[in-house]
Amino acid sequence: MNAGPRAQPRRREMAAAASGAGRCRISKVGVGRRPSPARVRVAVRLRPFVDGTAGANDSSCVRGLDSCSLEIANWRNHQETLRYQFDAFYGERSSQQDIYAGSVQPILKHLLEGQNASVLAYGPTGAGKTHTMLGSPEQPGVIPRALMDLLQLTREEGAEGRPWCLSVTMSYLEIYQEKVLDLLDPASGDLVIREDCRGNILIPGLMQKPITSFADFERHFLPASRNRTVGATRLNQRSSRSHAVLLVKVDQRERVAPFRQREGKLYLIDLAGSEDNRRTGNKGLRLKESGAINASLFVLGKVVDALNQGLPRVPYRDSKLTRLLQDSLGGSAHSILIANIAPERRFYLDTVSALNFAARSKEVINQPFTNESLQPHALAPIKLSQKELLGPSETKRARGHEEEELGSPESPAAPASADQKLSPLQKLSSMDPAMLERLLSLERLLGSQGSQGTPLLNTPRRERMVLMKTVEEKDLEIERLKMKQKELEAKVLAQEAADPKEKENCSPTMLRPLARRTVTVAKPLKKAVVMPLQLIQEQAASPNAEIHILKKRGRKRKLESLDASEQSEENAEDCWELQISPELLARGRQKILDLLNEGSARDLCSLQRIGKKKAQLIVGWRELHGPFSQVEDLERVQGISGKQLQSFVKANILGLLGLAAGQRSSPS
């Protein structure tokens, strides 16, 4: 039916071997190696019957086969059973010590290596999750046992004479209806969950209490546990209405060089159980609480499925619980899932659901690694001598230059040039002195590790010498080319000053200084000549007659008069302008005046700038006041301004004289 006492030694050996297989070596600074992936380990605990009573109508539906497997009746076919295989199975007679020693205790060593670990208690309501995690004064659970052993380990590793100094802090929170509440400081309110640049999950404002002994832990933990939200249902008188998370952080600082620091986190999580409201009888607030619990556990199942299927998006952010468990599931922690189940047949569906979730969870792969860095004071400024800053060859060269300075006092600029050619790394002199000293101190620390460190500011001697020689050769070549260019330019200038005429007959192969600016000349624009037909005929008869050219110079218009003999493409202007004789101008104004006095509204619309509305205004004004005496009388008509009148006269003179746009021609 279940595993008896004889199966305990075998279970412990298998659990210890399996936990040892998932253990990883510590990663060293500069190597960049990551430990091998670690699978989420799953243990199943079967609680005994409540009060030890099991009637004929409520018999057990689960039976343990060995220390790692169990079977449960198949609800579709009662003649068959469903078999499950896990990392460990604890039957009804298993004690708290068996569960802790077999599954939880082996992962505590990872905290001293700077890695994260997490323990989750999962199962339906009333299956014994809180008892597994907290226990009782007579049978303490996982949390008090883990803290007691962890504090003992930190005292041993952080004792005087050991290379590491360790400190432990604790935080305690609950997720109640999608609100993160600090149980150590209930007045802080709802807290937010953040993620730093390295992917670590943080909760700003969460209180941390330093602890050095188990008495310190109890002084902070017991009052905080009373702040957790609990309630009574039909299945459990003290049902957890929230997910509780105890976070224990272990900080390690190295006392000797290279002064490393590590940080390991232990998550001890007591999840609220999934509930069937038809059996729990929840109403009102309890119904709302169970809805939030079931929703977060549903998202937890989606996260596990997404990780197993390798989906590109894992819905961690769909719930506060999964957001906080991002390190535990698919993250960087060594995770242990303890699935608690009940033996009664009335919990059959909840038991099957919990076993299916546990079977999917054991396929999740985490990537644990060591959280290690250098302490800030290890990068303090360190003054280095010139011998430490330069290599052996550069030191000899610097010494040789100093001797040359003493021997030849008449070259005061020699020291500066010598210092500049000491090393191709001369750009370091322009760096911030504090930053340079930190880099050099970091190089010394990495160099003390032997071949594992990677040199930052120096290269092997042979490569450094080749690089220096190449730089010197390039500098000499550049100086030689500059001097040659200056000589050629001076020679050309001297020849031009001696014989200016020789400049024209200069050989095309002679090198000349490069022009510093290239001037481009724009092509001349074409012009269009606009003339009336009458003047074209007069021009054919009289070659000395004036022609009328329409030009446009920028935005302004000017009148010019050109002789016919000067009309050529070379003397053409790049713009348009108009030249009209006074007789033609007077004739055009008279035609406009006649049309204003005698023309109808339709005739007036044929004029430029005159529409139907203005034509009607002109006819109406003429009927009231008589004919126009001059063209300027149009200003009296409503709606015609002086500026409009000027443009009206200019436009219509051209039209009446035959200077239409269609008569423009370009000179050939």
Side-chain angles (χ1 to χ4, degrees), residues 287-298:
L287 183 63
K288 186 177 181 181
E289 293 171 348
S290 65
I293 293 171
N294 292 336
S296 60
L297 294 177
F298 175 72

Side-chain angles (χ1 to χ4, degrees), residues 27-33 260 445-455:
S27 62
K28 296 182 179 180
V29 176
V31 179
R33 296 174 55 189
R260 295 169 295 175
L445 293 177
L446 297 179
S448 63
Q449 299 179 1
S451 60
Q452 295 177 356
T454 302

Side-chain angles (χ1 to χ4, degrees), residues 28-30 254 256-260 374 378 382 439-456 458:
K28 296 182 179 180
V29 176
E254 199 170 14
V256 296
F259 301 104
R260 295 169 295 175
L374 291 177
I382 300 176
L439 289 175
L440 293 173
S441 61
L442 180 59
E443 180 190 9
R444 293 182 63 193
L445 293 177
L446 297 179
S448 63
Q449 299 179 1
S451 60
Q452 295 177 356
T454 302
L456 298 178
N458 60 350

Side-chain angles (χ1 to χ4, degrees), residues 401-415:
H401 282 292
E402 291 177 359
E403 294 176 357
E404 291 179 3
E405 292 174 11
L406 296 176
S408 56
E410 55 204 17
S411 58

